[in-house]
Amino acid sequence: MTAIKEVVNRFGKEEALLLQVILAVQDADPQNHLSEEAVNEISREMNISRSRVYSTASFYSEISLKPRGMHIIRICTNAPCENANKASILAAIKQELGIKIGQTTTDGLFSLESVNCLGACYMSPAIKIDDAVYGDLTPEAAVAIIRNLRKEYQNEQNA
Amino acid sequence: MNKMLDDDQIFNISPGRHVDLDHHCQNGGYSALAKALAQGPETSLKEISDAGLRGRGGAAFPTAEKIKMLRANTEKLRYIICNADEGEPGTFKDRFIMTHIPFQLLEGITIAAFMAGASEGYIYVRHEYPEAQKILRESIEEAERRGFLGENILGSGFSLSLKLFSGAGSYLCGEETALISSIEGKKGRPRLKPPYPTQAGLWQKPTLINNVETLANIPKIIEKSASWYRSFGTPDSPGTKLISLSGDVQNRGLFEVPFGMTFAEIISEYGGGAKTGKAIKAVNIGGASGVLIPPEMLFTPLEYLACSKTGITIGSGAIFVLDDTRSILSNVQNRLRFFLHESCGKCTPCREGLRQANLILDRLLAGEAVRQDVSTLERYTRAIQEASFCGLGQAAGNSLRSSLAYYRDEYLASCRDNKPSFIEEETA
Ligand SMILES: Cc1cc2nc3c(=O)[nH]c(=O)nc-3n(C[C@H](O)[C@H](O)[C@H](O)COP(=O)(O)O)c2cc1C
Ligand code: SF4
Ligand code: FES
């Protein structure tokens, strides 16, 4: 838990930094979420009530109070992507991972989420995996990207 | 991009080209800041005022007037916030500015802060844009190292401390008062206006909030003069507008378009027209919170006055084209669901109105609605637009209202009790 103390010290304890601290703590978490212990620790370190920390954290859709996978796959649901055949991409991803939106694969490798417009409508349908945006997608391309990530992970495990 | 404007464009954005600090300076960058600092805030402000620059974040408020309000305030500590939340579905212009010409934006922020007398500032960038955040963070540091930001800028005695603030996934945080709450560490819920941010904004201090595109216009106006700026566009709407073009057109992308062109011209000249063999059925202007208009209305020019007369909201400048294979109803529902998801729930017309409207659309799309439902939907739309607390709810009805006006037949055709069209239809 010293990691959180370090984040708070790096940012500062002002109230204005609460959201930035929460995001940094979530980023550092192997399960990409804000755990109950993390909330308690942030509350203690910043001297902000736990309910305030929860209230801020729960408002924003990019913050998760539930553990998530190592890679987060976000599929854009807005009209330009929807019209560009988002449905077929989503179906292919769901089938490849065996999960629905809002779920995490049992191996903890992937979570699937929906997201609002990624500012990539000129190459819709678009998805985002972690920090990278992929556009002009086909179902095959989406599956290939996922399989590559899985392979990378397995190679790391074997190395 | 920029087929119509050659050398003298305001946003020199070419895909894949990142303008770094040296490039920016070679292209005349930061000469505007030096000029502004030398000639003083009043002279610079007059140039912006003469140029007729209006906000590009949606509400089109005159930028110079906003800055004057800050100057009229006696409070010494003033903030500047660059609104880079860009949550409007269908819009990607601010993202391109941040990743391609970040120093033009930083220079604009610095000049605006100087004119407004602001010494501290934030760029509020949505969390969904990590690449833009990274580029801006690095650009801020570099500008500081080179004396274009931070303490005693270019030896002028003027200082600006600028920080990047990340959003965390909330469309509503683009609304200026919600954005302020978010920086203050709270939920991003809107506040009552007045007081406006120019009077009591961040931490109750006077605050200038402007959109990315608005701020990025400023260096060019200062560098090249208001009359140069007015050589683009129309007397009512000077300059150019960045258009995010998507949907069923040949070329999608970002285009810098002079005000005054008609939407039909924009779609054919930049977008190459509808996809081969298809006809345009409807065009959505202004993103999810904009309107859906039929092709007959595309002869309206891109101009604030002309558009407000015909009920078109230019908004963020997104144009999304639907061809004749598309369903108006499912497009409207897509937008409704977006607003329903993003509604903060603070007021009933928005929270419940959108929910009920969505249920009616469910019934319409399932073929289970009756004609009475269409009239009810119309009533709800009015209530949502007129009684919602903030701009989210007020604008959420635009797509409903316009589609009910122009595509009423499609709504009625989906009703179970649809009668032949010669029978007088009932109204609310
Ligand atoms: C729901 C909602 C979302 C908004 N989102 C944005 C946004 O993402 N970016 C933006 O610049 N303005 C947005 N606005 C408009 C801002 O409240 C504000 O008018 C604008 O930032 C002012 O800057 P400007 O005068 O340069 O346009 C939004 C407004 C509403 C009601
Ligand atoms: S209109 Fe909607 S988003 Fe705005 S305050 Fe009301 S409930 Fe919240
Ligand atoms: S609508 Fe999907 S990226 Fe914009």
Side-chain angles (χ1 to χ4, degrees), chain B residues 172 190 343-347 350-351 388-390 392-393:
Chain B
L172 185 53
S343 167
C344 79
K346 172 165 155 159
C347 62
C350 172
R351 185 189 64 237
S388 282
F389 179 81
C390 85
L392 186 145

Side-chain angles (χ1 to χ4, degrees), chain B residues 120-197:
Chain B
E120 287 181 38
Y122 292 94
I123 309 180
Y124 189 103
V125 190
R126 66 192 301 230
H127 193 249
E128 292 85 341
Y129 285 0
E131 189 198 2
Q133 291 194 354
K134 179 168 176 282
I135 290 175
L136 283 180
R137 268 204 192 91
E138 290 167 0
S139 304
I140 289 173
E141 276 174 22
E142 201 176 351
E144 276 172 355
R145 271 200 305 277
R146 301 266 290 265
F148 297 117
L149 253 183
E151 291 289 314
N152 190 18
I153 295 170
L154 299 176
S156 65
F158 170 67
S159 301
L160 174 66
S161 136
L162 190 64
K163 293 196 195 91
L164 189 125
F165 192 99
S166 173
S170 160
Y171 167 71
L172 185 53
C173 283
E175 196 281 336
E176 53 191 18
T177 62
L179 190 156
I180 287 170
S181 302
S182 178
I183 297 186
E184 290 176 352
K186 307 185 188 102
K187 286 185 189 184
R189 279 185 161 169
R191 299 178 185 168
L192 191 66
K193 294 190 276 192
Y196 290 95

Side-chain angles (χ1 to χ4, degrees), chain B residues 81-151:
Chain B
I81 297 174
C82 168
N83 188 343
D85 199 49
E86 190 159 75
E88 191 64 50
T91 311
F92 38 84
K93 67 188 180 80
D94 294 344
R95 184 182 135 199
F96 271 82
I97 293 177
M98 292 186 272
T99 53
H100 288 65
I101 48 168
F103 291 99
Q104 184 169 331
L105 172 61
L106 293 185
E107 186 178 4
I109 296 174
T110 314
I111 298 171
F114 175 64
M115 293 189 292
S119 54
E120 287 181 38
Y122 292 94
I123 309 180
Y124 189 103
V125 190
R126 66 192 301 230
H127 193 249
E128 292 85 341
Y129 285 0
E131 189 198 2
Q133 291 194 354
K134 179 168 176 282
I135 290 175
L136 283 180
R137 268 204 192 91
E138 290 167 0
S139 304
I140 289 173
E141 276 174 22
E142 201 176 351
E144 276 172 355
R145 271 200 305 277
R146 301 266 290 265
F148 297 117
L149 253 183
E151 291 289 314

Side-chain angles (χ1 to χ4, degrees), chain A residues 76 78 80-81 117-121 126, chain B residues 90:
Chain A
C76 170
N78 295 122
C81 280
C117 182
L118 297 163
C121 340

Side-chain angles (χ1 to χ4, degrees), chain B residues 212-241:
Chain B
V212 169
E213 185 186 350
T214 315
L215 291 162
N217 267 292
I218 290 178
K220 291 287 175 184
I221 297 172
I222 300 288
E223 183 195 341
K224 300 200 168 180
S225 85
S227 58
W228 171 82
Y229 190 77
R230 281 189 172 274
S231 68
F232 307 108
T234 70
D236 166 68
S237 305
T240 63
K241 179 81 197 77

Side-chain angles (χ1 to χ4, degrees), chain B residues 229-292:
Chain B
Y229 190 77
R230 281 189 172 274
S231 68
F232 307 108
T234 70
D236 166 68
S237 305
T240 63
K241 179 81 197 77
L242 288 176
I243 297 290
S244 314
L245 185 59
S246 66
D248 301 320
V249 285
Q250 305 279 359
N251 322 311
R252 305 176 291 177
L254 181 72
F255 303 101
E256 181 176 359
V257 174
F259 278 105
M261 275 181 95
T262 66
F263 291 104
E265 284 167 340
I266 296 171
I267 291 167
S268 65
E269 284 176 38
Y270 295 94
K275 293 246 173 84
T276 322
K278 301 284 193 315
I280 292 177
K281 177 173 181 180
V283 175
N284 164 232
I285 295 174
S289 51
V291 289
L292 265 173

Side-chain angles (χ1 to χ4, degrees), chain A residues 59 77-78 116, chain B residues 89 171-172 288 332-362 384 392-393 395-397 400:
Chain A
F59 183 80
T77 53
N78 295 122
N116 283 326
Chain B
Y171 167 71
L172 185 53
V332 169
Q333 185 171 49
N334 180 289
R335 258 160 246 156
L336 256 178
R337 288 191 171 150
F338 164 72
F339 287 114
L340 195 51
H341 182 259
E342 295 303 313
S343 167
C344 79
K346 172 165 155 159
C347 62
T348 317
C350 172
R351 185 189 64 237
E352 295 304 320
L354 291 171
R355 201 165 66 86
Q356 294 301 327
N358 186 42
L359 290 176
I360 295 181
L361 268 148
D362 274 343
I384 295 167
L392 186 145
L400 274 169

